[in-house]
PDB file of all heavy atoms in Angstrom:
ATOM      1  N   ILE A   1       0.861  -1.181   0.000  1.00 85.00           N
ATOM      2  CA  ILE A   1       0.000   0.000   0.000  1.00 85.00           C
ATOM      3  C   ILE A   1       0.899   1.233   0.000  1.00 85.00           C
ATOM      4  O   ILE A   1       1.621   1.489   0.966  1.00 85.00           O
ATOM      5  CB  ILE A   1      -0.940   0.006   1.223  1.00 85.00           C
ATOM      6  CG1 ILE A   1      -1.808  -1.258   1.219  1.00 85.00           C
ATOM      7  CG2 ILE A   1      -1.804   1.256   1.236  1.00 85.00           C
ATOM      8  CD1 ILE A   1      -2.646  -1.458   2.468  1.00 85.00           C
ATOM      9  N   PRO A   2       0.869   2.018  -1.083  1.00 84.00           N
ATOM     10  CA  PRO A   2       1.746   3.183  -1.153  1.00 84.00           C
ATOM     11  C   PRO A   2       1.324   4.271  -0.164  1.00 84.00           C
ATOM     12  O   PRO A   2       0.148   4.375   0.188  1.00 84.00           O
ATOM     13  CB  PRO A   2       1.584   3.664  -2.597  1.00 84.00           C
ATOM     14  CG  PRO A   2       0.250   3.163  -3.016  1.00 84.00           C
ATOM     15  CD  PRO A   2       0.020   1.890  -2.263  1.00 84.00           C
ATOM     16  N   LEU A   3       2.298   5.053   0.288  1.00 84.00           N
ATOM     17  CA  LEU A   3       1.998   6.194   1.142  1.00 84.00           C
ATOM     18  C   LEU A   3       1.142   7.181   0.353  1.00 84.00           C
ATOM     19  O   LEU A   3       1.338   7.388  -0.844  1.00 84.00           O
ATOM     20  CB  LEU A   3       3.282   6.873   1.612  1.00 84.00           C
ATOM     21  CG  LEU A   3       4.170   6.045   2.530  1.00 84.00           C
ATOM     22  CD1 LEU A   3       5.433   6.819   2.858  1.00 84.00           C
ATOM     23  CD2 LEU A   3       3.431   5.654   3.797  1.00 84.00           C
ATOM     24  N   PHE A   4       0.201   7.776   1.033  1.00 81.00           N
ATOM     25  CA  PHE A   4      -0.701   8.725   0.385  1.00 81.00           C
ATOM     26  C   PHE A   4      -0.427  10.114   0.920  1.00 81.00           C
ATOM     27  O   PHE A   4      -0.305  10.314   2.126  1.00 81.00           O
ATOM     28  CB  PHE A   4      -2.161   8.344   0.670  1.00 81.00           C
ATOM     29  CG  PHE A   4      -3.143   9.259   0.026  1.00 81.00           C
ATOM     30  CD1 PHE A   4      -3.401   9.170  -1.329  1.00 81.00           C
ATOM     31  CD2 PHE A   4      -3.802  10.220   0.763  1.00 81.00           C
ATOM     32  CE1 PHE A   4      -4.311  10.010  -1.937  1.00 81.00           C
ATOM     33  CE2 PHE A   4      -4.707  11.077   0.168  1.00 81.00           C
ATOM     34  CZ  PHE A   4      -4.964  10.969  -1.188  1.00 81.00           C
ATOM     35  N   SER A   5      -0.298  11.077   0.034  1.00 83.00           N
ATOM     36  CA  SER A   5      -0.114  12.461   0.463  1.00 83.00           C
ATOM     37  C   SER A   5      -0.908  13.383  -0.448  1.00 83.00           C
ATOM     38  O   SER A   5      -1.193  13.048  -1.597  1.00 83.00           O
ATOM     39  CB  SER A   5       1.364  12.849   0.452  1.00 83.00           C
ATOM     40  OG  SER A   5       1.849  12.862  -0.869  1.00 83.00           O
ATOM     41  N   ILE A   6      -1.261  14.512   0.106  1.00 86.00           N
ATOM     42  CA  ILE A   6      -1.973  15.551  -0.644  1.00 86.00           C
ATOM     43  C   ILE A   6      -1.058  16.764  -0.663  1.00 86.00           C
ATOM     44  O   ILE A   6      -0.769  17.339   0.388  1.00 86.00           O
ATOM     45  CB  ILE A   6      -3.324  15.886   0.007  1.00 86.00           C
ATOM     46  CG1 ILE A   6      -4.207  14.637   0.042  1.00 86.00           C
ATOM     47  CG2 ILE A   6      -4.011  17.019  -0.730  1.00 86.00           C
ATOM     48  CD1 ILE A   6      -5.501  14.799   0.801  1.00 86.00           C
ATOM     49  N   ASP A   7      -0.583  17.119  -1.832  1.00 89.00           N
ATOM     50  CA  ASP A   7       0.358  18.227  -1.966  1.00 89.00           C
ATOM     51  C   ASP A   7      -0.353  19.487  -2.434  1.00 89.00           C
ATOM     52  O   ASP A   7      -1.367  19.430  -3.127  1.00 89.00           O
ATOM     53  CB  ASP A   7       1.457  17.865  -2.966  1.00 89.00           C
ATOM     54  CG  ASP A   7       2.259  16.648  -2.517  1.00 89.00           C
ATOM     55  OD1 ASP A   7       2.544  16.555  -1.311  1.00 89.00           O
ATOM     56  OD2 ASP A   7       2.576  15.806  -3.372  1.00 89.00           O
ATOM     57  N   GLY A   8       0.230  20.623  -2.070  1.00 89.00           N
ATOM     58  CA  GLY A   8      -0.231  21.904  -2.587  1.00 89.00           C
ATOM     59  C   GLY A   8      -1.541  22.385  -2.001  1.00 89.00           C
ATOM     60  O   GLY A   8      -2.037  21.858  -1.014  1.00 89.00           O
ATOM     61  N   PRO A   9      -2.114  23.405  -2.621  1.00 97.00           N
ATOM     62  CA  PRO A   9      -3.362  23.985  -2.131  1.00 97.00           C
ATOM     63  C   PRO A   9      -4.520  22.994  -2.242  1.00 97.00           C
ATOM     64  O   PRO A   9      -4.525  22.120  -3.109  1.00 97.00           O
ATOM     65  CB  PRO A   9      -3.612  25.179  -3.051  1.00 97.00           C
ATOM     66  CG  PRO A   9      -2.410  25.344  -3.892  1.00 97.00           C
ATOM     67  CD  PRO A   9      -1.597  24.102  -3.788  1.00 97.00           C
ATOM     68  N   VAL A  10      -5.481  23.128  -1.339  1.00 96.00           N
ATOM     69  CA  VAL A  10      -6.659  22.272  -1.355  1.00 96.00           C
ATOM     70  C   VAL A  10      -7.920  23.125  -1.286  1.00 96.00           C
ATOM     71  O   VAL A  10      -7.913  24.215  -0.707  1.00 96.00           O
ATOM     72  CB  VAL A  10      -6.662  21.262  -0.181  1.00 96.00           C
ATOM     73  CG1 VAL A  10      -5.532  20.267  -0.322  1.00 96.00           C
ATOM     74  CG2 VAL A  10      -6.604  21.960   1.165  1.00 96.00           C
ATOM     75  N   THR A  11      -8.968  22.634  -1.896  1.00 97.00           N
ATOM     76  CA  THR A  11     -10.292  23.239  -1.767  1.00 97.00           C
ATOM     77  C   THR A  11     -11.132  22.264  -0.962  1.00 97.00           C
ATOM     78  O   THR A  11     -11.217  21.081  -1.295  1.00 97.00           O
ATOM     79  CB  THR A  11     -10.932  23.473  -3.142  1.00 97.00           C
ATOM     80  OG1 THR A  11     -10.096  24.368  -3.886  1.00 97.00           O
ATOM     81  CG2 THR A  11     -12.320  24.057  -3.010  1.00 97.00           C
ATOM     82  N   VAL A  12     -11.725  22.762   0.111  1.00 97.00           N
ATOM     83  CA  VAL A  12     -12.510  21.923   1.010  1.00 97.00           C
ATOM     84  C   VAL A  12     -13.977  22.314   0.891  1.00 97.00           C
ATOM     85  O   VAL A  12     -14.314  23.494   0.875  1.00 97.00           O
ATOM     86  CB  VAL A  12     -12.040  22.080   2.474  1.00 97.00           C
ATOM     87  CG1 VAL A  12     -12.907  21.273   3.425  1.00 97.00           C
ATOM     88  CG2 VAL A  12     -10.576  21.698   2.613  1.00 97.00           C
ATOM     89  N   GLU A  13     -14.837  21.300   0.808  1.00 97.00           N
ATOM     90  CA  GLU A  13     -16.279  21.514   0.815  1.00 97.00           C
ATOM     91  C   GLU A  13     -16.846  20.728   1.988  1.00 97.00           C
ATOM     92  O   GLU A  13     -16.574  19.538   2.128  1.00 97.00           O
ATOM     93  CB  GLU A  13     -16.880  21.027  -0.495  1.00 97.00           C
ATOM     94  CG  GLU A  13     -18.353  21.311  -0.627  1.00 97.00           C
ATOM     95  CD  GLU A  13     -18.893  20.917  -1.991  1.00 97.00           C
ATOM     96  OE1 GLU A  13     -18.377  21.441  -3.001  1.00 97.00           O
ATOM     97  OE2 GLU A  13     -19.814  20.081  -2.028  1.00 97.00           O
ATOM     98  N   MET A  14     -17.599  21.407   2.839  1.00 96.00           N
ATOM     99  CA  MET A  14     -18.173  20.775   4.028  1.00 96.00           C
ATOM    100  C   MET A  14     -19.687  20.907   3.995  1.00 96.00           C
ATOM    101  O   MET A  14     -20.204  21.990   3.764  1.00 96.00           O
ATOM    102  CB  MET A  14     -17.659  21.452   5.302  1.00 96.00           C
ATOM    103  CG  MET A  14     -16.189  21.293   5.555  1.00 96.00           C
ATOM    104  SD  MET A  14     -15.631  22.190   7.040  1.00 96.00           S
ATOM    105  CE  MET A  14     -16.485  21.325   8.340  1.00 96.00           C
ATOM    106  N   SER A  15     -20.367  19.805   4.245  1.00 94.00           N
ATOM    107  CA  SER A  15     -21.821  19.822   4.355  1.00 94.00           C
ATOM    108  C   SER A  15     -22.200  19.594   5.809  1.00 94.00           C
ATOM    109  O   SER A  15     -21.652  18.706   6.465  1.00 94.00           O
ATOM    110  CB  SER A  15     -22.441  18.728   3.492  1.00 94.00           C
ATOM    111  OG  SER A  15     -22.194  18.991   2.136  1.00 94.00           O
ATOM    112  N   PHE A  16     -23.144  20.389   6.297  1.00 94.00           N
ATOM    113  CA  PHE A  16     -23.602  20.281   7.677  1.00 94.00           C
ATOM    114  C   PHE A  16     -25.015  19.710   7.718  1.00 94.00           C
ATOM    115  O   PHE A  16     -25.729  19.726   6.718  1.00 94.00           O
ATOM    116  CB  PHE A  16     -23.576  21.665   8.344  1.00 94.00           C
ATOM    117  CG  PHE A  16     -22.189  22.210   8.530  1.00 94.00           C
ATOM    118  CD1 PHE A  16     -21.635  23.050   7.580  1.00 94.00           C
ATOM    119  CD2 PHE A  16     -21.433  21.881   9.645  1.00 94.00           C
ATOM    120  CE1 PHE A  16     -20.347  23.558   7.742  1.00 94.00           C
ATOM    121  CE2 PHE A  16     -20.156  22.380   9.811  1.00 94.00           C
ATOM    122  CZ  PHE A  16     -19.611  23.225   8.866  1.00 94.00           C
ATOM    123  N   ASN A  17     -25.420  19.222   8.889  1.00 90.00           N
ATOM    124  CA  ASN A  17     -26.748  18.645   9.057  1.00 90.00           C
ATOM    125  C   ASN A  17     -27.857  19.687   8.994  1.00 90.00           C
ATOM    126  O   ASN A  17     -28.984  19.360   8.663  1.00 90.00           O
ATOM    127  CB  ASN A  17     -26.852  17.892  10.384  1.00 90.00           C
ATOM    128  CG  ASN A  17     -26.023  16.634  10.378  1.00 90.00           C
ATOM    129  OD1 ASN A  17     -25.698  16.103   9.334  1.00 90.00           O
ATOM    130  ND2 ASN A  17     -25.685  16.152  11.557  1.00 90.00           N
ATOM    131  N   THR A  18     -27.530  20.910   9.376  1.00 91.00           N
ATOM    132  CA  THR A  18     -28.544  21.959   9.380  1.00 91.00           C
ATOM    133  C   THR A  18     -28.010  23.214   8.698  1.00 91.00           C
ATOM    134  O   THR A  18     -26.797  23.440   8.638  1.00 91.00           O
ATOM    135  CB  THR A  18     -28.972  22.346  10.814  1.00 91.00           C
ATOM    136  OG1 THR A  18     -27.887  23.021  11.453  1.00 91.00           O
ATOM    137  CG2 THR A  18     -29.363  21.126  11.634  1.00 91.00           C
ATOM    138  N   THR A  19     -28.922  24.011   8.218  1.00 94.00           N
ATOM    139  CA  THR A  19     -28.522  25.268   7.575  1.00 94.00           C
ATOM    140  C   THR A  19     -27.904  26.224   8.581  1.00 94.00           C
ATOM    141  O   THR A  19     -27.010  26.994   8.239  1.00 94.00           O
ATOM    142  CB  THR A  19     -29.735  25.931   6.898  1.00 94.00           C
ATOM    143  OG1 THR A  19     -30.762  26.148   7.873  1.00 94.00           O
ATOM    144  CG2 THR A  19     -30.274  25.070   5.779  1.00 94.00           C
ATOM    145  N   GLY A  20     -28.349  26.160   9.835  1.00 93.00           N
ATOM    146  CA  GLY A  20     -27.795  27.034  10.867  1.00 93.00           C
ATOM    147  C   GLY A  20     -26.318  26.792  11.086  1.00 93.00           C
ATOM    148  O   GLY A  20     -25.545  27.738  11.279  1.00 93.00           O
ATOM    149  N   PHE A  21     -25.886  25.515  11.049  1.00 94.00           N
ATOM    150  CA  PHE A  21     -24.459  25.212  11.210  1.00 94.00           C
ATOM    151  C   PHE A  21     -23.653  25.813  10.065  1.00 94.00           C
ATOM    152  O   PHE A  21     -22.574  26.368  10.262  1.00 94.00           O
ATOM    153  CB  PHE A  21     -24.235  23.705  11.272  1.00 94.00           C
ATOM    154  CG  PHE A  21     -24.710  23.046  12.532  1.00 94.00           C
ATOM    155  CD1 PHE A  21     -24.766  21.672  12.618  1.00 94.00           C
ATOM    156  CD2 PHE A  21     -25.102  23.781  13.640  1.00 94.00           C
ATOM    157  CE1 PHE A  21     -25.200  21.031  13.771  1.00 94.00           C
ATOM    158  CE2 PHE A  21     -25.539  23.166  14.808  1.00 94.00           C
ATOM    159  CZ  PHE A  21     -25.591  21.785  14.871  1.00 94.00           C
ATOM    160  N   ALA A  22     -24.164  25.688   8.848  1.00 94.00           N
ATOM    161  CA  ALA A  22     -23.464  26.247   7.684  1.00 94.00           C
ATOM    162  C   ALA A  22     -23.395  27.766   7.787  1.00 94.00           C
ATOM    163  O   ALA A  22     -22.369  28.366   7.473  1.00 94.00           O
ATOM    164  CB  ALA A  22     -24.153  25.819   6.396  1.00 94.00           C
ATOM    165  N   GLU A  23     -24.480  28.389   8.230  1.00 95.00           N
ATOM    166  CA  GLU A  23     -24.482  29.852   8.389  1.00 95.00           C
ATOM    167  C   GLU A  23     -23.471  30.284   9.440  1.00 95.00           C
ATOM    168  O   GLU A  23     -22.767  31.291   9.261  1.00 95.00           O
ATOM    169  CB  GLU A  23     -25.885  30.330   8.754  1.00 95.00           C
ATOM    170  CG  GLU A  23     -26.865  30.192   7.616  1.00 95.00           C
ATOM    171  CD  GLU A  23     -28.314  30.371   8.047  1.00 95.00           C
ATOM    172  OE1 GLU A  23     -28.565  30.635   9.247  1.00 95.00           O
ATOM    173  OE2 GLU A  23     -29.190  30.231   7.175  1.00 95.00           O
ATOM    174  N   ASN A  24     -23.370  29.534  10.537  1.00 94.00           N
ATOM    175  CA  ASN A  24     -22.377  29.851  11.563  1.00 94.00           C
ATOM    176  C   ASN A  24     -20.960  29.714  11.020  1.00 94.00           C
ATOM    177  O   ASN A  24     -20.103  30.556  11.275  1.00 94.00           O
ATOM    178  CB  ASN A  24     -22.543  28.935  12.775  1.00 94.00           C
ATOM    179  CG  ASN A  24     -23.804  29.208  13.553  1.00 94.00           C
ATOM    180  OD1 ASN A  24     -24.447  30.229  13.368  1.00 94.00           O
ATOM    181  ND2 ASN A  24     -24.172  28.279  14.412  1.00 94.00           N
ATOM    182  N   ALA A  25     -20.698  28.664  10.264  1.00 94.00           N
ATOM    183  CA  ALA A  25     -19.366  28.443   9.701  1.00 94.00           C
ATOM    184  C   ALA A  25     -19.000  29.538   8.705  1.00 94.00           C
ATOM    185  O   ALA A  25     -17.842  29.945   8.616  1.00 94.00           O
ATOM    186  CB  ALA A  25     -19.300  27.075   9.021  1.00 94.00           C
ATOM    187  N   ALA A  26     -19.981  30.024   7.964  1.00 94.00           N
ATOM    188  CA  ALA A  26     -19.730  31.017   6.916  1.00 94.00           C
ATOM    189  C   ALA A  26     -19.398  32.395   7.461  1.00 94.00           C
ATOM    190  O   ALA A  26     -19.122  33.312   6.685  1.00 94.00           O
ATOM    191  CB  ALA A  26     -20.932  31.096   5.982  1.00 94.00           C
ATOM    192  N   ILE A  27     -19.367  32.540   8.769  1.00 93.00           N
ATOM    193  CA  ILE A  27     -19.012  33.837   9.347  1.00 93.00           C
ATOM    194  C   ILE A  27     -17.544  34.176   9.112  1.00 93.00           C
ATOM    195  O   ILE A  27     -17.167  35.343   9.064  1.00 93.00           O
ATOM    196  CB  ILE A  27     -19.373  33.891  10.849  1.00 93.00           C
ATOM    197  CG1 ILE A  27     -19.445  35.335  11.314  1.00 93.00           C
ATOM    198  CG2 ILE A  27     -18.402  33.092  11.679  1.00 93.00           C
ATOM    199  CD1 ILE A  27     -20.235  35.540  12.568  1.00 93.00           C
ATOM    200  N   LEU A  28     -16.705  33.147   8.918  1.00 93.00           N
ATOM    201  CA  LEU A  28     -15.288  33.410   8.646  1.00 93.00           C
ATOM    202  C   LEU A  28     -15.118  33.953   7.235  1.00 93.00           C
ATOM    203  O   LEU A  28     -15.736  33.448   6.292  1.00 93.00           O
ATOM    204  CB  LEU A  28     -14.456  32.131   8.798  1.00 93.00           C
ATOM    205  CG  LEU A  28     -14.252  31.606  10.205  1.00 93.00           C
ATOM    206  CD1 LEU A  28     -13.406  30.346  10.170  1.00 93.00           C
ATOM    207  CD2 LEU A  28     -13.611  32.642  11.097  1.00 93.00           C
ATOM    208  N   PRO A  29     -14.267  34.950   7.054  1.00 94.00           N
ATOM    209  CA  PRO A  29     -14.095  35.564   5.726  1.00 94.00           C
ATOM    210  C   PRO A  29     -13.601  34.613   4.636  1.00 94.00           C
ATOM    211  O   PRO A  29     -13.898  34.826   3.471  1.00 94.00           O
ATOM    212  CB  PRO A  29     -13.058  36.672   5.968  1.00 94.00           C
ATOM    213  CG  PRO A  29     -13.042  36.909   7.425  1.00 94.00           C
ATOM    214  CD  PRO A  29     -13.486  35.632   8.078  1.00 94.00           C
ATOM    215  N   ILE A  30     -12.883  33.558   5.012  1.00 95.00           N
ATOM    216  CA  ILE A  30     -12.379  32.641   3.975  1.00 95.00           C
ATOM    217  C   ILE A  30     -13.424  31.634   3.516  1.00 95.00           C
ATOM    218  O   ILE A  30     -13.202  30.885   2.570  1.00 95.00           O
ATOM    219  CB  ILE A  30     -11.126  31.869   4.460  1.00 95.00           C
ATOM    220  CG1 ILE A  30     -11.471  30.929   5.596  1.00 95.00           C
ATOM    221  CG2 ILE A  30     -10.000  32.795   4.820  1.00 95.00           C
ATOM    222  CD1 ILE A  30     -10.558  29.734   5.656  1.00 95.00           C
ATOM    223  N   VAL A  31     -14.569  31.581   4.205  1.00 97.00           N
ATOM    224  CA  VAL A  31     -15.589  30.567   3.943  1.00 97.00           C
ATOM    225  C   VAL A  31     -16.707  31.143   3.097  1.00 97.00           C
ATOM    226  O   VAL A  31     -17.227  32.222   3.382  1.00 97.00           O
ATOM    227  CB  VAL A  31     -16.151  30.008   5.270  1.00 97.00           C
ATOM    228  CG1 VAL A  31     -17.263  28.998   5.013  1.00 97.00           C
ATOM    229  CG2 VAL A  31     -15.032  29.380   6.102  1.00 97.00           C
ATOM    230  N   ASP A  32     -17.087  30.415   2.041  1.00 97.00           N
ATOM    231  CA  ASP A  32     -18.235  30.777   1.208  1.00 97.00           C
ATOM    232  C   ASP A  32     -19.327  29.744   1.404  1.00 97.00           C
ATOM    233  O   ASP A  32     -19.056  28.538   1.349  1.00 97.00           O
ATOM    234  CB  ASP A  32     -17.847  30.805  -0.276  1.00 97.00           C
ATOM    235  CG  ASP A  32     -16.881  31.924  -0.595  1.00 97.00           C
ATOM    236  OD1 ASP A  32     -17.086  33.050  -0.115  1.00 97.00           O
ATOM    237  OD2 ASP A  32     -15.903  31.660  -1.325  1.00 97.00           O
ATOM    238  N   GLN A  33     -20.553  30.220   1.611  1.00 97.00           N
ATOM    239  CA  GLN A  33     -21.685  29.308   1.713  1.00 97.00           C
ATOM    240  C   GLN A  33     -22.226  29.112   0.304  1.00 97.00           C
ATOM    241  O   GLN A  33     -22.685  30.048  -0.336  1.00 97.00           O
ATOM    242  CB  GLN A  33     -22.756  29.889   2.637  1.00 97.00           C
ATOM    243  CG  GLN A  33     -23.844  28.912   2.954  1.00 97.00           C
ATOM    244  CD  GLN A  33     -24.750  29.393   4.074  1.00 97.00           C
ATOM    245  OE1 GLN A  33     -24.519  30.428   4.689  1.00 97.00           O
ATOM    246  NE2 GLN A  33     -25.785  28.612   4.357  1.00 97.00           N
ATOM    247  N   ILE A  34     -22.155  27.870  -0.206  1.00 97.00           N
ATOM    248  CA  ILE A  34     -22.520  27.619  -1.598  1.00 97.00           C
ATOM    249  C   ILE A  34     -23.937  27.078  -1.761  1.00 97.00           C
ATOM    250  O   ILE A  34     -24.460  27.065  -2.873  1.00 97.00           O
ATOM    251  CB  ILE A  34     -21.503  26.690  -2.294  1.00 97.00           C
ATOM    252  CG1 ILE A  34     -21.381  25.349  -1.572  1.00 97.00           C
ATOM    253  CG2 ILE A  34     -20.151  27.383  -2.408  1.00 97.00           C
ATOM    254  CD1 ILE A  34     -20.517  24.334  -2.313  1.00 97.00           C
ATOM    255  N   ASP A  35     -24.534  26.619  -0.685  1.00 96.00           N
ATOM    256  CA  ASP A  35     -25.953  26.276  -0.674  1.00 96.00           C
ATOM    257  C   ASP A  35     -26.392  26.310   0.790  1.00 96.00           C
ATOM    258  O   ASP A  35     -25.569  26.567   1.669  1.00 96.00           O
ATOM    259  CB  ASP A  35     -26.256  24.953  -1.398  1.00 96.00           C
ATOM    260  CG  ASP A  35     -25.784  23.701  -0.691  1.00 96.00           C
ATOM    261  OD1 ASP A  35     -25.780  23.653   0.559  1.00 96.00           O
ATOM    262  OD2 ASP A  35     -25.422  22.742  -1.390  1.00 96.00           O
ATOM    263  N   PRO A  36     -27.645  26.088   1.097  1.00 96.00           N
ATOM    264  CA  PRO A  36     -28.098  26.270   2.483  1.00 96.00           C
ATOM    265  C   PRO A  36     -27.337  25.490   3.542  1.00 96.00           C
ATOM    266  O   PRO A  36     -27.190  25.969   4.667  1.00 96.00           O
ATOM    267  CB  PRO A  36     -29.570  25.837   2.429  1.00 96.00           C
ATOM    268  CG  PRO A  36     -29.989  26.127   1.029  1.00 96.00           C
ATOM    269  CD  PRO A  36     -28.778  25.814   0.193  1.00 96.00           C
TER     270      PRO A  36
END
């Protein structure tokens, strides 16, 4: 099993159970809310 690594910049997408959690997370300037 080869070693696994992720190099360079990454784009992360996170889905939450509720829209309120996503709205809370989107308060940070680096975070964009892409759907509810």
Side-chain angles (χ1 to χ4, degrees):
I1 301 172
L3 294 177
F4 181 76
S5 67
I6 300 173
D7 299 320
V10 294
T11 299
V12 177
E13 185 175 302
M14 294 177 65
S15 295
F16 293 94
N17 290 338
T18 69
T19 57
F21 289 169
E23 290 167 2
N24 291 346
I27 199 159
L28 289 180
I30 66 152
V31 177
D32 293 316
Q33 189 169 355
I34 58 173
D35 71 33

